[in-house]
Amino acid sequence: MTPAYPAGWQPTASIRAAALLLAAVLAAALLFAAPASASFGFIATWGGTGTGPGQFNSPSGIVTDSEGNVYVADTFNNRIQAFDHCHEFAGQWGTFGSGDGQLNSPLGVAIDSLDRLYVADTNNNRIEVFDPSGNYIGKWGGFGSGDGQFRLPFDVATGPNGEVYVADTDNNRIEEFDSAGSFARKWGGFGSGDGQFNTPFAVATGPQGEVYVADTFNNRIQEFDPAGSFVRKWGGFGSGDGQFRSPRGVAVDSQGEVYVADTNNDRIQEFDSAGSFVRKWGSFGSEIEQFHFAAGVATDQRDDVYVAESFPNSRIQLFGEPRPTIPELTEAVAALGLPQGFERSLEAKLQAAQAALDRGQTGSAGNSIGALLAELEAQSGKQLSAETAGDLIADAQAAERSLGCPS
């Protein structure tokens, strides 16, 4: 197997021509089919082909941390790039090589509860670990088929209890480690039966530790429990709802919804936790909400969806609910019918945040929203339901992270 993106894995010219024809036929149609929310849609994009800061050469893996920062495996630039919550360039690390902290076609990236970054350093057949600033922490692996060895690891994911799962692609298996890199277990083997794989490109974990694998050349998703026992599968080759053509990426949000980069169908498909189809979006192209080789997918704490497109688009697209403004948050609070004193306290903090923002004092505005968040958390399940508090907290956090970001 040739390293990283063999030519045979790309769509043929005839298939690409058919995709272009299909896109033309559907040009007048909406890109989003049966959306769960009318407001869910495109939010932002950044990138483009190049070697400069914020540019990419076939990005693949993507992940977000607890502060809304975004980390991208910039595969053929042999580096990791970091972006802040406004998606502005924040730093980069890595150069081509096999030394500590160097990279050779990194394809996957994951983050744990301590914001440590795990990188699938694919052509070096290892996992490297970094802190959020890119400082090297450690590594494990090596070429081979033994326990703890790899043959082209394409992806990595972390579990809720510190587990690290690696898609050991050319060995057609998943390997599990602890956060220090000690081998725990493995499962898989080449084939199309339950629990077998044909070139698994991606792995992701769910809220309860479920493990989802993009079983790429079997054109399906397989789900396992945290110990590797088979749970279910769905998919099959095709372009219909719930079918796939070489799915390359998988991600799971906080509600257990599963998002699949259906790569050669140039779309994203969403499923519930049991594998039932929910919606899809995308078509072939380079315009907004179109894809050309969607290589990776990720979600953040707000359940927004990030898509990494490989060459030639070499960009990130972000989809989700619009970021609420402070006036919109104020209206939402007023509509809840909360106890008068509690409502006034929340509205006063929002008014203070807006006043500070009007003066250009984003730090003070953030402090006021921080005080609002603290009050919401303290009163969750008391003066408002835990569910309502959770929704308001998520919206307030999104508004807080948007403070000072370019429109």
Side-chain angles (χ1 to χ4, degrees), residues 47-58 74-81 83 89 91-94 314:
T49 302
T51 59
Q55 295 180 313
F56 304 110
N57 187 350
S58 296
D74 186 8
T75 302
F76 292 148
N77 280 327
N78 297 294
R79 65 186 179 185
I80 303 299
Q81 291 201 65
F83 301 86
F89 176 78
Q92 65 183 41
W93 66 89
S314 288

Side-chain angles (χ1 to χ4, degrees), residues 12 19 44 114 138 142-143 155 171-172 196 199 227-228 245 264 276 295 335 339 342 392 395:
T12 65
L114 299 177
F143 179 80
D155 200 16
N171 278 323
N172 290 293
Q196 294 182 312
T199 319
R245 292 176 61 230
N264 286 355
S276 296
F342 182 41
L392 279 175
D395 284 343

Side-chain angles (χ1 to χ4, degrees), residues 259-322:
Y259 300 86
V260 180
D262 186 9
T263 305
N264 286 355
N265 277 324
D266 298 297
R267 65 185 180 183
I268 302 298
Q269 293 198 68
E270 178 186 346
F271 303 86
D272 67 18
S273 58
S276 296
F277 174 82
V278 176
R279 60 180 161 186
K280 63 187 176 187
W281 68 92
S283 62
F284 172 72
S286 57
E287 301 299 320
I288 296 305
E289 299 172 349
Q290 293 183 321
F291 305 114
H292 189 163
F293 206 85
V297 62
T299 62
D300 63 15
Q301 288 188 321
R302 198 166 179 263
D303 294 338
D304 291 334
V305 181
Y306 298 75
V307 180
E309 293 179 76
S310 188
F311 186 82
N313 286 346
S314 288
R315 65 181 177 181
I316 307 300
Q317 291 196 68
L318 171 61
F319 303 87
E321 303 289 339

Side-chain angles (χ1 to χ4, degrees), residues 16-203:
R16 183 58 70 201
L20 283 166
L21 177 60
L22 178 61
V25 171
L26 298 177
L30 293 175
L31 289 172
F32 287 79
S37 166
S39 58
F40 182 96
F42 173 81
I43 295 176
T45 186
W46 70 95
T49 302
T51 59
Q55 295 180 313
F56 304 110
N57 187 350
S58 296
S60 182
I62 183 169
V63 72
T64 64
D65 70 12
S66 58
E67 299 299 320
N69 301 306
V70 182
Y71 303 88
V72 180
D74 186 8
T75 302
F76 292 148
N77 280 327
N78 297 294
R79 65 186 179 185
I80 303 299
Q81 291 201 65
F83 301 86
D84 66 16
H85 67 281
C86 295
H87 314 132
E88 297 291 323
F89 176 78
Q92 65 183 41
W93 66 89
T95 57
F96 175 75
S98 58
D100 293 348
Q102 293 186 306
L103 302 165
N104 187 347
S105 301
L107 286 171
V109 62
I111 200 161
D112 68 11
S113 60
L114 299 177
D115 285 344
R116 291 177 297 206
L117 284 137
Y118 298 81
V119 178
D121 187 11
T122 303
N123 286 352
N124 280 325
N125 293 291
R126 65 185 180 183
I127 300 299
E128 288 199 278
V129 188
F130 302 88
D131 71 16
S133 298
N135 296 307
Y136 174 80
I137 295 175
K139 65 184 177 186
W140 71 85
F143 179 80
S145 299
D147 294 348
Q149 295 181 314
F150 307 114
R151 288 171 55 94
L152 299 179
F154 271 34
D155 200 16
V156 59
T158 57
N161 298 308
E163 308 94 335
V164 180
Y165 299 95
V166 179
D168 186 10
T169 303
D170 205 30
N171 278 323
N172 290 293
R173 65 185 181 183
I174 301 298
E175 291 196 81
E176 179 189 341
F177 303 85
D178 66 19
S179 60
S182 296
F183 176 82
R185 62 175 59 88
K186 63 187 176 187
W187 68 89
F190 177 76
S192 57
D194 293 349
Q196 294 182 312
F197 304 112
N198 186 350
T199 319
F201 271 51
V203 60

Side-chain angles (χ1 to χ4, degrees), residues 176-245:
E176 179 189 341
F177 303 85
D178 66 19
S179 60
S182 296
F183 176 82
R185 62 175 59 88
K186 63 187 176 187
W187 68 89
F190 177 76
S192 57
D194 293 349
Q196 294 182 312
F197 304 112
N198 186 350
T199 319
F201 271 51
V203 60
T205 58
Q208 306 304 316
E210 313 94 321
V211 181
Y212 297 87
V213 180
D215 187 7
T216 303
F217 290 160
N218 280 326
N219 294 289
R220 65 185 180 182
I221 300 298
Q222 293 198 69
E223 179 189 344
F224 302 87
D225 70 16
S229 296
F230 175 81
V231 176
R232 62 172 61 89
K233 64 186 176 186
W234 68 90
F237 180 80
S239 300
D241 294 348
Q243 295 181 313
F244 305 111
R245 292 176 61 230

